[in-house]
Amino acid sequence: MFCFQCEQTAKGEGCTKIGVCGKQPDVAELQDVLIYAVKGLAQVAKEGRKVGVKDSRIDHFACEAMFSTLTNVDFDPPRFVELINQCVSHRDELKKKVQAAGGWADFTSGPATFTPAATVEELVAQGEDFGPEAEKPVVDQDILSLKETLTYGIKGIAAYADHAAILGKTDDQIFDFIYEGLAATLDDNLGVNDLLGLVLKCGEINLVTMELLDAANTGAYGNPEPTEVPLGAKKGKALLVSGHDLKDLETILKQTEGKGIYVYTHGEMLPCHGYPELKKYEHFYGHYGTAWQNQKKEFAEFPGAIVMTTNCIQKPQDVYQDNIFTTGLVGWPGVTHIADKDFSPAIEKALSLPGYDADIDRGSVMVGFGHNAVLGVADKVIEGVKNKDIRHFFVVAGCDGAKPGRNYYTEFVEKAPEDTMVLTFACGKFRFFDKKLGAIGGIPRLLDLGQCNDAYSAVKIASALADAFDCGVNDLPLSIICSWYEQKAVAILLTLLYLGIKDIRLGPSLPAFVSSNVLNVLVDKFDIKPISTPDEDLKAILG
């Protein structure tokens, strides 16, 4: 195996024996096969679009397949075998439609003609020919770097598009680009400049996708409102929902209503408490725990059932393996998977477990500061800047992780001067989400914009401030301090670069899949730089 798609990759170079995430070599190879197969599907779909052949069912499948290969989503080999075979079936079905419409689909080699092996062992062996390590000896390293960056950005787009599609929102231009981008990774005629253009286009389409997802979430559940969320517990049975999926949470809330179970959020589900159509449920109580990498300890201590709705799962510990369930694209060998959205097994488990024997008070945090809420007090924010009550805005956001160096983000927020504001989203905020930073002009200094899926809010707020001050975003008193871990963060970073945002500080380490020459281009063009120390970076930013 060889995998270097996440920030925690072994030695900062690549995982070759077992994934730091817990991914076994067979799963890594099966994921490489699946990605190769989806690229073949993309080649055919791209030709189909030239003659008006589209299939929304196949478009959604392509997103699900790519999403399944994100870090910490699916670790279950049989699921990948099924996806690989489905992919080839969809590809061949699409070929016939393209040919019937007068299009070209006479591929003679490559993934568009790929035949998967019959057994898991043979599929794993096939995977050894398809991953980035197989391409290293024969492909220019800068070309390989850009192709991998494009692939990982598309994985992020696919995840966001899948969330939006679940809530009934789709956009053909997203699927058009997914196919265009994946097919481009097979084109040996593309040079560095061609691929750089596609990488930035990936950022552009990710912005479209995040806007679509924002419309899907707010259309279904209302605009998030500033909401105080307890970090403690209520006496009674308990069910914990982790991951990102709002629809799954709503379904669980409906199915647990009246059953004497309190529903809690974990990880990136915390912002769900701000949505009017979710927080209306009286048994939707509070938030438990912090970020994904702490789940082994936190889940072991939770006295109820646990449902994982999207990426972030780690290898379950024996003490809670019987209490945890997966749904959607998430999978782990031996863990009960709920495919039909009937959460009765998890509900029954919650009722059988002790729950909390008394109320617990652990304080609270505030959520619900999406772009609608923040822009609703934009006049106060603008006045604060003009009066010099607000000197600077810091967007301290992104993924959390277990690798050393992430305490930087806690220290940065703690040391940010009292006349600065901190905007945050995604699970990186769990390094400082419960800090009491006070307020400026009645507005909390720490504003939680939501999940990583809600990065669009940060873009919307920055754009609105730039309009209000009649300047570009780069001219605002605003700095982006980004932490990354997986491929949705890659897509967000590409969006920031597409928007021309400069002077981004990225950490805790730079991506292993970005070659030194490509990194130099990003430094020269966008002034992107690694984090140093909180003191040094604050001094450099504020003077």
Side-chain angles (χ1 to χ4, degrees):
M1 70 172 285
F2 180 82
C3 181
F4 60 178
Q5 70 175 2
C6 86
E7 190 272 333
Q8 293 188 176
T9 192
K11 300 179 182 178
E13 298 172 356
C15 295
T16 57
K17 295 181 180 179
I18 185 174
V20 174
C21 64
K23 181 164 58 177
Q24 297 296 318
D26 59 344
V27 172
E29 303 295 4
L30 290 170
Q31 287 183 352
D32 286 341
V33 175
L34 178 58
I35 292 167
Y36 185 71
V38 176
K39 288 181 177 181
L41 173 63
Q43 287 181 304
V44 177
K46 183 182 175 185
E47 293 300 322
R49 273 153 156 72
K50 293 178 182 178
V51 291
V53 174
K54 298 180 180 181
D55 189 321
S56 59
R57 178 176 50 94
I58 292 176
D59 293 341
H60 193 196
F61 168 83
C63 288
E64 288 185 323
M66 292 301 289
F67 192 177
S68 294
T69 68
L70 256 77
T71 304
N72 293 93
V73 177
D74 192 355
F75 296 80
D76 197 5
R79 298 265 296 277
F80 285 106
V81 174
E82 182 180 352
L83 285 168
I84 291 165
N85 288 317
Q86 277 184 305
C87 185
V88 170
S89 176
H90 285 318
R91 181 199 70 197
D92 292 344
E93 175 190 346
L94 200 57
K95 272 187 188 178
K96 293 176 182 177
K97 291 181 179 180
V98 173
Q99 291 166 335
W104 182 87
D106 299 325
F107 295 92
T108 58
S109 62
T113 63
F114 163 69
T115 300
T119 68
V120 174
E121 292 76 17
E122 291 171 324
L123 275 172
V124 169
Q126 284 182 318
E128 295 174 2
D129 297 327
F130 300 142
E133 186 71 355
E135 290 194 74
K136 272 190 173 185
V138 294
V139 178
D140 177 272
Q141 295 310 292
D142 298 330
I143 295 291
L144 177 61
S145 173
L146 289 167
K147 286 183 176 181
E148 290 302 303
T149 301
L150 180 58
T151 300
Y152 301 150
I154 289 172
K155 288 188 182 192
I157 290 174
Y160 293 139
D162 181 64
H163 282 299
I166 287 170
L167 294 174
K169 295 285 188 180
T170 59
D171 188 328
D172 271 352
Q173 66 177 314
I174 296 170
F175 304 125
D176 291 347
F177 175 74
I178 287 175
Y179 296 137
E180 176 191 3
L182 290 176
T185 65
L186 302 167
D187 189 343
D188 294 333
N189 295 315
L190 297 179
V192 168
N193 288 335
D194 300 312
L195 289 166
L196 272 172
L198 282 167
V199 164
L200 291 179
K201 186 175 180 181
C202 185
E204 177 186 7
I205 298 302
N206 185 57
L207 178 60
V208 171
T209 312
M210 290 192 300
E211 183 176 12
L212 183 74
L213 178 55
D214 178 79
N217 287 339
T218 57
Y221 304 112
N223 284 302
E225 303 166 345
T227 303
E228 188 174 8
V229 183
L231 298 177
K234 293 285 284 184
K235 180 180 179 180
K237 303 294 184 178
L239 194 154
L240 188 65
V241 184
S242 191
H244 301 77
D245 198 281
L246 275 62
K247 181 67 175 177
D248 284 339
L249 175 61
E250 179 191 32
T251 303
I252 289 169
L253 287 169
K254 287 179 177 179
Q255 293 181 13
T256 52
E257 201 165 20
K259 289 185 166 60
I261 298 172
Y262 285 104
V263 175
Y264 300 83
T265 54
H266 175 269
E268 291 235 47
M269 298 301 285
L270 168 62
C272 295
H273 291 274
Y275 287 94
E277 292 302 309
L278 295 176
K279 69 177 185 176
K280 69 181 183 182
Y281 292 91
E282 293 183 1
H283 64 301
F284 185 30
Y285 179 67
H287 184 79
Y288 172 86
T290 52
W292 64 272
Q293 78 276 3
N294 299 319
Q295 66 186 249
K296 291 183 179 181
K297 178 179 185 297
E298 293 171 353
F299 287 2
E301 296 172 355
F302 187 73
I306 303 156
V307 177
M308 297 296 304
T309 66
T310 56
N311 55 316
C312 292
I313 193 170
Q314 289 188 296
K315 180 181 180 180
Q317 302 295 290
D318 291 344
V319 68
Y320 64 83
Q321 176 145 351
D322 291 340
N323 303 340
I324 190 170
F325 301 81
T326 60
T327 191
L329 301 177
V330 192
W332 193 282
V335 170
T336 301
H337 186 71
I338 298 172
D340 58 4
K341 303 304 181 183
D342 177 358
F343 290 98
S344 297
I347 293 169
E348 290 168 5
K349 177 61 69 172
L351 291 171
S352 72
L353 291 168
Y356 288 100
D357 58 9
D359 291 352
I360 300 173
D361 183 3
R362 294 195 179 103
S364 63
V365 294
M366 292 292 295
V367 301
F369 294 101
H371 61 84
N372 187 71
V374 175
L375 295 180
V377 293
D379 55 337
K380 293 182 180 179
V381 174
I382 293 166
E383 182 182 1
V385 174
K386 288 180 177 178
N387 293 341
K388 299 187 178 180
D389 294 326
I390 301 174
R391 179 172 30 153
H392 207 86
F393 299 91
F394 294 110
V395 178
V396 185
C399 312
D400 202 0
K403 193 174 178 179
R406 291 183 183 270
N407 284 340
Y408 164 94
Y409 299 95
T410 309
E411 291 180 33
F412 189 97
V413 169
E414 289 176 338
K415 292 179 176 180
E418 292 183 1
D419 58 356
T420 64
M421 300 190 74
V422 176
L423 285 67
T424 189
F425 59 84
C427 66
K429 65 172 166 271
F430 287 109
R431 294 278 168 171
F432 50 80
F433 79 126
D434 55 352
K435 302 293 180 185
K436 305 304 180 185
L437 301 185
I440 300 175
I443 303 171
R445 283 188 58 225
L446 178 61
L447 299 177
D448 184 350
L449 306 185
Q451 299 180 334
C452 70
N453 298 8
D454 299 310
Y456 176 71
S457 276
V459 172
K460 188 84 171 174
I461 291 166
S463 298
L465 287 173
D467 289 342
F469 290 107
D470 193 23
C471 67
V473 172
N474 288 316
D475 299 316
L476 287 170
L478 182 147
S479 300
I480 297 176
I481 317 297
C482 183
S483 57
W484 81 283
Y485 171 67
E486 42 91 301
Q487 297 76 62
K488 286 184 285 184
V490 173
I492 292 169
L493 178 61
L494 297 183
T495 294
L496 296 176
L497 299 183
Y498 158 72
L499 291 170
I501 295 175
K502 297 183 177 182
D503 201 28
I504 299 169
R505 283 169 167 78
L506 180 64
S509 62
L510 296 175
F513 55 83
V514 174
S515 68
S516 58
N517 287 333
V518 171
L519 180 60
N520 288 338
V521 170
L522 297 179
V523 171
D524 290 342
K525 189 170 183 178
F526 301 103
D527 199 22
I528 193 168
K529 58 189 58 139
I531 58 174
S532 56
T533 68
D535 290 324
E536 290 173 356
D537 288 345
L538 282 166
K539 182 178 180 180
I541 293 168
L542 298 175

